Amino acid sequence: MKQAINSFITKHGLIEEGDHLLVAVSGGPDSMALIHYLMELSNIKKIQLSVSHVEHGLRGEESKKDAALVASFCQKYSLPFYLYEADVKKKKRQQAMSTQDAARLCRYEWFEHLMHKLGTTKLVTAHHGDDQIETMLMRQLRGSLSGRKGIPVKRMFAGGYIIRPLLAVEKTKLLEYCATYNIPYRKDQSNDEDKYLRNRIRHHVLPFIKEENPKAHHVFQWQSEVLADEEEWLHHETKRVVDKVMTLKGSHKIVVSLEAFNEVAKALQRRAIHLILNYLLISHQLQFDRSHIEAILDLIRQEHPSGEVHLPKNITVEKSYESLIFSIKTPFLKEESEDQNKELVLPLPGELAWATGTISADTFNGKMPLKNEPHDIFIDLNKVSLPFIVRTRRAGDRMSFFGGKGTKKLKDVFIEAKVAKGDRDLWPIVTDSHGTILWVPSLKRSNEGVVDDKSENIVQLTYRANT
C-alpha cells in the first residue's frame, strides 16, 4: 500500500520537502491510516504535520468519543491537534441545506480558517479509491456535467491546495494497514444506514463492480484524471464563448444575447448555461441537475418570444425577445423592492439609491448648454410641481411622450423597448408631486417640463444602472 501511495504522490506532485500539512482526521480507519502513513513519511521528507478534527455534534456521545480518540492519538505522538465543535444544525437553518451539506460546509470553513491561521500549504483528506467510485456513480445518477470527473487529486483551496493521496488505494487496503500497525479507529454507525445514496451505492453497487473487476478503483481513477483534463479544456472553451454571448454581467443579473447563444456549438450550450448559473451562485456551491439545464434549453428553443423558468435559490431565467436574462432575487433586493413601493422623494439637488441603480439631480441657475445623454434629461423646474417622486409602476400608468401627441400606456413603453418582465416591476418611474410621469429612465421622457430658450431654473436628472 505504501508503495502505491508513494508512486501516486510522486506522479501528481502532491507532497514536497518543507510542506506544512493540515491533516483532516475524523477518527475512522481511512483518516487514521492516513495520519499514521504521513507520520512515517515525515521521517523521510522534511514535512510538518498538524491535525484537525471537526466534531459535528450530530451523533451525541459517539462523536465525542471520535474526537477523544484523535486527541489521544495526537497527544501520544506529539502532533499539534485542533478541535472544532461545529453547530451544523444552525448552519443548516441559515443556509437552508441538507444536514450533510451543512456539515461539509462547516468542515471546510474551519479548514480554511485554520490553514490561514497556521500558514499551512496543503490540506490532506482521506478520500480513497472506493470513495472515488461512489462519487462518480452518484454524480452520474444525478446528471452532473462537470462532476463526472469525480474527486480531484489536487485542487486549489485557501491559498494552498487540497490533496488526496489515498485515491490510489481501496478501502480494504486501509483496513489491512490499520490491522498491521495496530492503529486504533472508530466506526461511524451511520455509514451502515441505507438512507443515504452513497451508502446504498457502497452496500449494493460497489460489491458487484468489485466482483466484475477487482481493480475497478484504478479504472475509475484513470477515468477521473482523463475527464479532469478534458473538463479543464472544455471549461476554458465554455468561458470563452460565455464571455462573448453576455451583454451584461452583474452580481445579481446576467443577460445573454439569444442570437449569439444559438451560434454556440451544442456541445457547449449546456456547459455555458451551467457556468452562467454558477456565476450568480458562486458562494452557494449549488449543483444544478439535468432537469434545470434542459428546462432552460427548452425555454430557448420555444417559438414564443417570452417565458420564464424558476430555479432553486431564487433564480429566474427569463426569455425576453432577443435576450435571455438570468437573475437572482436576494432577500436584500426583496426588501429594497418593498421599500420602493412606498414612493421616495428625490432630493433636489442630491441623489437617490434605487434597487436597480442611482438617480441624481443637479440644479443650474441661468442658461447652460444642454448635452443630452442616453441616461440624462433636463427639466424646467418652473414648469413642474415639486418635489420629484420616484416610484415603481402601477396598473393603468400612462404618460405623454416627448415629440408626440396624446398619451401612451407605460406597459407599451416597456414592450416597445423590449424590457424584460422581471425588470419592469423594479424600473424607476419619476413623477411630479401630482403623480404625472416625467421620465422613465433610459427609455422615454414626457412632454412635461421641457426646457426651452427661456428656461433659467433647470435640473439635470441622471440615471446610472447597477452593473
Side-chain angles (χ1 to χ4, degrees), residues 48-273:
Q48 182 180 349
L49 303 177
S50 294
V51 174
S52 175
H53 177 85
V54 179
E55 203 278 276
H56 298 98
L58 299 173
R59 295 167 37 245
E61 288 301 316
E62 290 301 307
S63 60
K64 292 181 180 179
K65 289 178 181 178
D66 295 346
L69 171 70
V70 180
S72 175
F73 184 90
C74 290
Q75 184 178 20
K76 179 179 179 180
Y77 293 102
S78 301
L79 293 170
F81 173 68
Y82 300 90
L83 172 66
Y84 175 52
E85 295 178 330
D87 192 342
V88 175
K89 294 179 180 178
K90 180 180 179 181
K91 181 71 70 175
K92 178 181 178 179
R93 290 194 303 271
Q94 289 176 338
Q95 300 293 331
M97 55 177 51
S98 69
T99 300
Q100 284 184 313
D101 288 341
R104 185 184 185 282
L105 183 57
C106 286
R107 285 197 302 276
Y108 281 89
E109 286 180 346
W110 166 247
F111 295 150
E112 182 174 9
H113 164 77
L114 205 52
M115 285 183 72
H116 289 310
K117 177 181 177 181
L118 301 177
T120 54
T121 53
K122 292 166 185 172
L123 169 68
V124 193
T125 68
H127 294 94
H128 50 75
D130 288 1
D131 289 329
Q132 184 68 283
I133 297 175
E134 294 163 10
T135 298
M136 293 177 73
L137 290 175
M138 284 174 61
R139 292 177 178 175
Q140 189 75 5
L141 287 171
R142 289 171 174 166
S144 173
L145 286 175
S146 60
R148 291 181 302 172
K149 63 183 181 293
I151 306 171
V153 176
K154 180 180 182 179
R155 72 173 177 89
M156 296 182 67
F157 178 75
Y161 294 93
I162 297 177
I163 61 172
R164 300 179 172 101
L166 299 190
L167 287 175
V169 295
E170 57 186 330
K171 176 83 170 188
T172 55
K173 296 299 181 183
L174 296 172
L175 292 171
E176 291 172 5
Y177 184 88
C178 288
T180 299
Y181 291 95
N182 197 28
I183 302 170
Y185 61 83
R186 297 268 305 161
K187 184 177 180 182
D188 184 349
Q189 299 299 326
S190 66
N191 288 332
D192 295 332
E193 301 173 4
D194 269 358
K195 66 179 181 179
Y196 300 117
L197 175 59
R198 180 178 292 276
N199 287 355
R200 294 194 295 273
I201 291 174
R202 180 177 300 159
H203 300 154
H204 307 294
V205 181
L206 191 57
F208 171 77
I209 292 175
K210 290 292 188 73
E211 184 178 346
E212 291 295 318
N213 184 358
K215 299 295 182 181
H217 63 286
H218 290 310
V219 175
F220 274 77
Q221 183 57 38
W222 175 81
Q223 289 178 334
S224 173
E225 293 175 25
V226 170
L227 286 169
D229 290 339
E230 293 177 353
E231 287 290 341
E232 183 179 1
W233 179 80
L234 285 167
H235 176 75
H236 287 301
E237 283 297 296
T238 303
K239 188 176 184 302
R240 182 179 63 80
V241 300
V242 166
D243 289 342
K244 286 185 176 181
V245 303
M246 284 190 302
T247 58
L248 172 69
K249 183 181 179 183
S251 59
H252 298 96
K253 180 179 178 181
I254 292 174
V255 181
V256 169
S257 164
L258 276 174
E259 181 180 4
F261 184 86
N262 285 327
E263 292 178 358
V264 174
K266 289 186 178 180
L268 293 181
Q269 286 186 349
R270 290 178 178 84
R271 295 173 181 275
I273 291 172

Side-chain angles (χ1 to χ4, degrees), residues 227-368:
L227 286 169
D229 290 339
E230 293 177 353
E231 287 290 341
E232 183 179 1
W233 179 80
L234 285 167
H235 176 75
H236 287 301
E237 283 297 296
T238 303
K239 188 176 184 302
R240 182 179 63 80
V241 300
V242 166
D243 289 342
K244 286 185 176 181
V245 303
M246 284 190 302
T247 58
L248 172 69
K249 183 181 179 183
S251 59
H252 298 96
K253 180 179 178 181
I254 292 174
V255 181
V256 169
S257 164
L258 276 174
E259 181 180 4
F261 184 86
N262 285 327
E263 292 178 358
V264 174
K266 289 186 178 180
L268 293 181
Q269 286 186 349
R270 290 178 178 84
R271 295 173 181 275
I273 291 172
H274 193 276
L275 180 60
I276 292 168
L277 290 171
N278 279 285
Y279 278 157
L280 290 177
L281 287 169
I282 193 167
S283 63
H284 290 76
Q285 299 296 312
L286 179 68
Q287 291 295 319
F288 293 94
D289 63 27
R290 176 183 57 82
S291 64
H292 299 138
I293 306 298
E294 293 303 319
I296 297 170
L297 286 174
D298 288 342
L299 176 66
I300 293 170
R301 293 164 183 158
Q302 72 178 21
E303 293 184 4
H304 199 280
S306 63
E308 290 184 356
V309 170
H310 297 275
L311 302 178
K313 296 295 182 182
N314 297 315
I315 283 185
T316 298
V317 183
E318 180 183 357
K319 181 182 180 182
S320 179
Y321 305 100
E322 291 87 19
S323 296
L324 191 66
I325 303 154
F326 297 77
S327 60
I328 177 170
K329 308 298 182 185
T330 66
F332 172 75
L333 286 178
K334 183 179 179 182
E335 290 171 6
E336 277 192 333
S337 66
E338 290 170 353
D339 287 342
Q340 316 308 355
N341 292 329
K342 297 177 182 178
E343 296 189 352
L344 301 179
V345 175
L346 175 62
L348 191 64
E351 66 177 30
L352 175 67
W354 192 255
T356 59
T358 302
I359 301 176
S360 59
D362 295 300
T363 57
F364 303 92
N365 291 318
K367 295 185 182 299
M368 55 167 289

